[in-house]
């Protein structure tokens, strides 16, 4: 029980404020707070990209304060219409793959990636059949707004 542990479930991000600014978006603050509280102990690693300053600071705070076996920061081109953006991003993906290979001790082939994509697409297709779109939207919105609450 959060109240018995001295936590206020209405203010889940408070623990993160020592690490990132309170004006950062609720998603970033809550993700870091949940990590600091051990709610993501089942994760082997964390990967993120530079989508915004808030995500970047959340990542750096995470790797400094949340024990995680693997972490990777995927560089993103700042100007996607720049003629060099695609080459830059392709190199970043190659670096990411190499990093995962070093960490796992396993070579990741194109066939491995194709199989993983097929598996995830199958799971998504099955989820769509079992869960109507209106319910999925409600669940996703509830998770985004209140990730610490169970979805009913």
């Amino acid at each position: 029980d959060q109240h018995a542990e001295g936590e206020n479930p209405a203010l889940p991000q408070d623990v993160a404020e020592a690490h990132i600014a309170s004006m950062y978006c609720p998603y970033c603050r809550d993700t870091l707070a949940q990590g600091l509280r051990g709610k993501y102990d089942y994760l082997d690693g964390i990967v993120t990209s530079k989508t915004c300053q808030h995500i970047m600071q959340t990542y750096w705070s995470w790797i400094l304060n949340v024990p995680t076996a693997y972490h990777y920061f995927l560089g993103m081109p700042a100007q996607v219409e720049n003629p060099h953006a695609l080459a830059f991003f392709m190199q970043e993906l190659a670096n990411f793959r190499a990093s995962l290979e070093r960490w796992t001790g396993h070579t990741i082939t194109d066939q491995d990636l194709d199989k993983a994509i097929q598996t995830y697409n199958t799971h998504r297709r099955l989820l769509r059949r079992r869960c109507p779109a209106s319910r999925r939207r409600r669940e996703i919105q509830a998770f985004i707004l209140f990730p610490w609450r169970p979805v009913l």
Side-chain angles (χ1 to χ4, degrees):
D1 180 50
Q2 288 177 321
H3 289 289
E5 296 170 9
E7 295 183 38
N8 181 348
L11 301 171
Q13 296 102 1
D14 288 350
V15 70
E17 289 184 11
H19 305 280
I20 59 175
S22 62
M23 51 78 67
Y24 277 22
C25 76
Y27 172 78
C28 292
R29 290 190 343 250
D30 191 66
T31 299
L32 182 58
Q34 298 301 327
L36 292 166
R37 288 195 173 117
K39 303 290 184 180
Y40 292 127
D41 284 350
Y42 58 89
L43 294 179
D44 291 324
I46 182 171
V47 176
T48 194
S49 61
K50 185 178 180 179
T51 56
C52 69
Q53 184 65 35
H54 296 187
I55 289 286
M56 222 166 78
Q57 182 59 43
T58 299
Y59 170 79
W60 293 115
S61 294
W62 181 289
I63 66 169
L64 290 172
N65 299 289
V66 180
T68 308
Y70 177 80
H71 56 85
Y72 192 84
F73 188 80
L74 183 66
M76 299 294 286
Q79 299 172 344
V80 295
E81 295 187 18
N82 181 306
H84 305 288
L86 181 59
F88 170 83
F89 188 59
M90 294 300 290
Q91 184 60 54
E92 286 295 307
L93 290 175
N95 293 344
F96 177 40
R97 178 190 265 187
S99 173
L100 282 172
E101 289 173 338
R102 282 190 304 276
W103 182 61
T104 63
H106 172 74
T107 300
I108 301 170
T109 66
D110 288 345
Q111 291 78 17
D112 292 333
L113 293 174
D114 289 342
K115 184 177 178 184
I117 290 168
Q118 289 173 358
T119 299
Y120 277 94
N121 285 342
T122 298
H123 290 173
R124 288 175 42 213
R125 209 171 20 260
L126 292 171
L127 180 61
R128 282 190 191 113
R129 284 187 201 145
R130 294 204 51 180
C131 188
S134 60
R135 179 167 179 222
R136 276 198 320 272
R137 277 194 301 273
R138 263 193 336 271
E139 289 176 352
I140 290 168
Q141 183 180 26
F143 178 76
I144 290 170
L145 294 175
F146 309 104
W148 62 92
R149 292 185 186 167
V151 177
L152 304 176

